[in-house]
Amino acid sequence: APADMPAACQGAADAPAAAVAGASNGLSAAGRTMQRCLATVRASVRLQQVATARERLRWRCQAARRARLLANDQCAELEERLQPGHDVAMDEVRDILDGLGVPPAPDELAPMGSPPWLCAVCRVAQRTRGWRCPFRHRFCRDCMVRWAESSALPRCPKEGCGYHLGEHDLQDLRVSAGRLEAFRAVRLEEGLAALQDNNESQVMVFRCPGAGCSAAVVLGARE
């Protein structure tokens, strides 16, 4: 404000300037807060991505062991390298598994240049590899995990497809350990019931009479 302006007028003139300065400082503080929030979110997302990548590599180690590409101690050694804080070792493990020809996880990105495809369950365009049944019906991992959780003995979601998911499918989808154990228990019970109902079977099944006990002994005809 001009020096010869009356004090009252000068105060009035200075007020908007002070208000603008205060608003500017407020916006600056808000901007800094927003930047910190964004940095925190980015760090959290990065940690989640690393954890997911580590989980996929563990699955690939187990897949290599099941395929007998790795011995038990070799698989354990690679999994030891996947402990948190060993990001460089993760790249080494990935290179080893790639060299062995172990397939990537269903939720890993498809090869560069691959066209997107539509998951028939969620109807969302996908860029991951997805899960396929032997008849080439393809679905995203998230949908398949939910599908596997919804039935004791899940089948391929494609209408008319009679493919029953096996234990290896549930392992490929990385379902929870509890779900996998429940699946094994149901399959075992199903197999024992089939043996008991088969009059031409050459084996005998003895079930524990205890309430809630699923223990059983299977004996051959000469045992």
Side-chain angles (χ1 to χ4, degrees):
D4 57 349
M5 182 179 293
C9 295
Q10 186 172 349
D14 289 341
V20 170
S24 177
N25 290 336
L27 288 174
S28 179
R32 288 194 296 271
T33 300
M34 180 63 71
Q35 288 177 347
R36 286 195 295 269
C37 290
L38 289 174
T40 301
V41 170
R42 291 191 188 102
S44 178
V45 170
R46 171 60 180 162
L47 287 174
Q48 183 60 42
Q49 289 174 338
V50 171
T52 302
R54 191 175 288 116
E55 179 187 357
R56 291 170 181 158
L57 288 173
R58 286 198 187 97
W59 167 81
R60 293 183 69 191
C61 288
Q62 291 297 325
R65 182 186 59 78
R66 292 194 299 270
R68 299 185 179 180
L69 297 174
L70 289 174
N72 289 341
D73 56 340
Q74 292 173 323
C75 180
E77 181 182 348
L78 291 182
E79 288 186 324
E80 182 65 27
R81 297 189 191 183
L82 296 175
Q83 295 299 321
H86 298 80
D87 292 352
V88 175
M90 287 177 58
D91 293 334
E92 295 173 354
V93 172
R94 184 179 293 106
D95 290 342
I96 292 172
L97 295 172
D98 287 345
L100 291 173
V102 182
D107 53 339
E108 289 197 50
L109 290 176
M112 189 174 296
S114 300
W117 55 277
L118 193 69
C119 173
V121 174
C122 63
R123 311 300 297 176
V124 174
Q126 305 289 329
R127 293 191 176 276
T128 59
R129 293 175 179 271
W131 175 90
R132 284 188 175 99
C133 78
F135 302 102
R136 311 299 290 174
H137 303 139
R138 192 179 188 184
F139 307 91
C140 71
R141 175 186 172 261
D142 288 346
C143 285
M144 284 305 303
V145 169
R146 287 191 290 270
W147 186 265
E149 295 283 354
S150 67
S151 171
L153 294 173
R155 297 186 181 189
C156 171
K158 176 69 175 179
E159 186 176 358
C161 180
Y163 176 70
H164 287 267
L165 273 68
E167 183 175 328
H168 68 283
D169 292 304
L170 269 63
Q171 290 171 332
D172 289 350
L173 293 169
R174 305 197 307 279
V175 299
S176 66
R179 176 66 187 96
L180 194 58
E181 286 302 318
F183 177 82
R184 289 169 177 161
V186 172
R187 289 294 298 270
L188 176 61
E189 187 66 29
E190 186 182 59
L192 292 173
L195 285 174
Q196 287 181 304
D197 294 341
N198 186 357
N199 296 326
E200 299 180 359
S201 175
Q202 299 298 310
V203 300
M204 297 183 66
V205 180
F206 298 90
R207 307 296 299 266
C208 174
C213 181
S214 59
V217 176
V218 180
L219 297 178
R222 298 182 180 181
E223 294 182 286

